[in-house]
Amino acid sequence: MQTKQRDVRRSVSIIVSRGWLQLRFSYGGKRHYISVGLRDTPTNRKIADAKAKLIESDIIYERFDPTLEKYKPQTALSVTTTAAPLPVPKTSLLDLWKQYTQFQQVHLEETTIIRDYGKIEKRIRKFPTPYLEDAIAIQAHLLSKFAAETAKRTLKQLSACCNWAMRKKLISENPFKELAQEVKTKKASKVSRKPFSKECVAAIISAFEHNTYCSRYSPIPHSYYAPYVKFLFHTGCRPEEAIALKWKHVEKNRIYICEAVATDVRIRKTTKTDTPRYFPINQELRAVFDAVRPENPDPNALVFPARGGKEIDTHNFLNRVWRPVVKRLVEAGKVKEYLPQYNCRHTFITLCLESGIISRRVADWCGTSVAVIEEHYAGAIAHIQVPSFGLTNQTTLEDQG
């Protein structure tokens, strides 16, 4: 009577674990792993193959040694009969970043967490290999998808996260430590603080008031934004502070500037310096308020609302209204060069300094420091002339004698 043999083609597999040969097979409902104790070379594979065939044969003819002693070489071999050696788990960069963000929430503005930290989280979620151990691959990915400056900034943030995690004993090393330094970027250009001339200011305001460049299909005429534009030029107020202004902040002879709204995240917060300030209302500014003030204004209503009643979206205004108008004025030769709406602030500061108003007063009005004024607006200050007191024309009593 012939013994029926079961087809067990390669029922014992030869695998490589970290450069060493192992035999893997199942018997009696258990998975077995036997380390051959030999490096993965062509010669050693032949030895492993012979050992695998022996095990297969013993299983077929029911002479398998469940103690596995028969299959061990003369040298001591490690045997695992329960599970394969598990690879060292990788650290999730996303989990680490979330913990870091949660820690920073108590120290930073909510807008910073949502805008800046949220942006990094979105990038991490798109990493092809989102693990701490894949830092080199992440660096290559960032450089392939973003400008060098953005990639460098992201790597710096990830490195800061890892430094924090090391202090908290969550990880033992920072694989991003040197990666940002390897990214070469162009020298950052200084923020333009160029002012508009008085003639350019007049041309811009006129274009808004008369809808000079407003499309007939525009749902909102440019003249709707004219009071807002005038306010920027007449106060040097930051756009996020101007759109946050409510009627309760407008007093008889002064404005109380105490809040700002970042339109990209729609969050109302304190001013950039966290310090409220007062701004005097002159005749020109009073005319701006009179033009937009309702008969009985709600104290909590916005002074310069968007058509829907909410805050003006400063980014949309910049791209869809301000930029087209000013660029058309440049093309028409009425404005020297294009400058963004934030330069209304630089214009106000410059004109004040050129008029002889002291730096301390301008700094107080605009919510900045004297040091910033004197560092960044030195050109305007240099235009101020030393006054003449007429002393050289006076004659002394001695001369008369």
Side-chain angles (χ1 to χ4, degrees):
M1 181 177 177
Q2 293 183 341
T3 304
K4 187 176 181 180
Q5 296 186 6
R6 188 163 48 89
D7 185 4
V8 289
R9 284 174 292 181
R10 295 314 329 163
S11 60
V12 179
S13 302
I14 301 172
I15 62 174
V16 180
S17 176
R18 298 182 181 179
W20 294 85
L21 294 172
Q22 285 187 343
L23 302 178
R24 182 181 64 193
F25 61 96
S26 296
Y27 180 79
K30 287 185 178 181
R31 173 81 76 178
H32 298 272
Y33 291 84
I34 299 179
S35 177
V36 180
L38 299 172
R39 283 287 185 181
D40 182 21
T41 66
T43 300
N44 290 342
R45 275 194 173 257
K46 292 180 181 180
I47 298 173
D49 185 65
K51 187 68 67 175
K53 288 179 179 178
L54 173 62
I55 295 172
E56 289 174 348
S57 176
D58 284 357
I59 293 175
I60 292 172
Y61 294 104
E62 300 180 354
R63 57 190 183 214
F64 179 77
D65 179 6
T67 67
L68 306 179
E69 290 295 324
K70 180 179 179 180
Y71 313 112
K72 292 180 181 179
Q74 293 181 354
T75 56
L77 301 179
S78 61
V79 180
T80 304
T81 60
T82 54
L86 296 175
V88 179
K90 290 186 174 184
T91 306
S92 169
L93 190 56
L94 180 60
D95 290 344
L96 209 60
W97 181 259
K98 285 182 176 179
Q99 293 179 66
Y100 177 56
T101 301
Q102 187 175 8
F103 172 79
Q104 292 287 60
Q105 284 178 344
V106 257
H107 308 290
L108 301 174
E109 289 279 357
E110 185 180 4
T111 50
T112 302
I113 294 296
I114 295 174
R115 181 191 295 128
D116 300 334
Y117 283 62
K119 191 180 295 181
I120 299 295
E121 181 177 328
K122 288 179 181 178
R123 288 176 192 159
I124 293 173
R125 290 182 181 277
K126 294 181 180 180
F127 287 168
T129 52
Y131 298 104
L132 185 68
E133 293 77 8
D134 299 321
I136 301 298
I138 289 171
Q139 181 195 45
H141 169 76
L142 288 170
L143 289 171
S144 68
K145 295 292 183 181
F146 300 98
E149 185 58 44
T150 302
K152 188 181 187 79
R153 191 163 54 248
T154 303
L155 290 169
K156 283 183 177 179
Q157 288 276 29
L158 296 177
S159 181
C161 171
C162 290
N163 286 337
W164 169 83
M166 288 176 65
R167 293 194 297 272
K168 298 298 180 181
K169 309 299 183 185
L170 300 176
I171 59 176
S172 59
E173 60 179 342
N174 178 3
F176 290 94
K177 186 177 179 180
E178 307 292 339
L179 298 190
Q181 298 176 16
E182 296 175 357
V183 180
K184 303 301 179 183
T185 59
K186 295 180 180 179
K187 189 175 181 180
S189 57
K190 292 184 178 180
V191 175
S192 170
R193 289 183 169 82
K194 291 181 179 180
F196 289 105
S197 67
K198 289 182 179 180
E199 295 74 21
C200 291
V201 172
I204 292 170
I205 291 175
S206 176
F208 273 94
E209 287 183 323
H210 297 94
N211 296 303
T212 308
Y213 302 109
C214 184
S215 168
R216 68 175 69 180
Y217 303 107
S218 176
I220 303 174
H222 290 173
S223 55
Y224 178 83
Y225 299 105
Y228 167 67
V229 172
K230 289 180 182 179
F231 182 80
L232 294 179
F233 276 124
H234 287 310
T235 63
C237 195
R238 298 179 181 92
E240 61 268 24
E241 295 169 345
I243 64 172
L245 193 68
K246 295 182 177 180
W247 284 112
K248 66 181 180 181
H249 300 139
V250 181
E251 301 177 7
K252 183 178 180 180
N253 295 311
R254 62 183 184 176
I255 311 165
Y256 185 50
I257 301 173
C258 58
E259 294 180 324
V261 173
T263 52
D264 55 344
V265 291
R266 293 287 180 183
I267 292 177
R268 182 174 286 264
K269 59 186 185 67
T270 59
T271 61
K272 184 178 180 179
T273 58
D274 293 322
T275 304
R277 65 187 188 275
Y278 285 100
F279 189 95
I281 298 176
N282 61 11
Q283 186 176 352
E284 290 177 324
L285 202 51
R286 195 179 308 281
V288 172
F289 290 134
D290 289 343
V292 295
R293 189 194 305 271
E295 189 172 337
N296 294 303
D298 178 352
N300 288 308
L302 296 169
V303 177
F304 306 109
R307 270 296 169 90
K310 295 183 178 180
E311 295 86 358
I312 292 173
D313 188 316
T314 55
H315 296 297
N316 283 343
F317 173 77
L318 172 68
N319 295 319
R320 299 178 183 178
V321 184
W322 177 271
R323 180 177 284 116
V325 169
V326 177
K327 284 195 171 183
R328 291 288 295 276
L329 286 168
V330 172
E331 293 171 3
K334 296 180 180 180
V335 171
K336 182 179 178 182
E337 63 179 319
Y338 171 78
L339 298 172
Q341 65 176 327
Y342 202 91
N343 287 56
C344 295
R345 175 176 172 84
H346 305 317
T347 301
F348 174 80
I349 293 174
T350 301
L351 293 177
C352 283
L353 295 173
E354 289 179 345
S355 298
I357 299 174
I358 61 173
S359 300
R360 175 75 271 168
R361 181 61 55 83
V362 179
D364 289 343
W365 286 347
C366 296
T368 187
S369 66
V370 174
V372 169
I373 293 291
E374 295 184 348
E375 178 183 355
H376 298 294
Y377 300 92
I381 297 173
H383 292 159
I384 300 175
Q385 299 297 316
V386 177
S388 174
F389 299 110
L391 299 178
T392 56
N393 295 326
Q394 295 180 1
T395 55
T396 65
L397 293 175
E398 260 187 309
D399 292 335
Q400 293 176 2

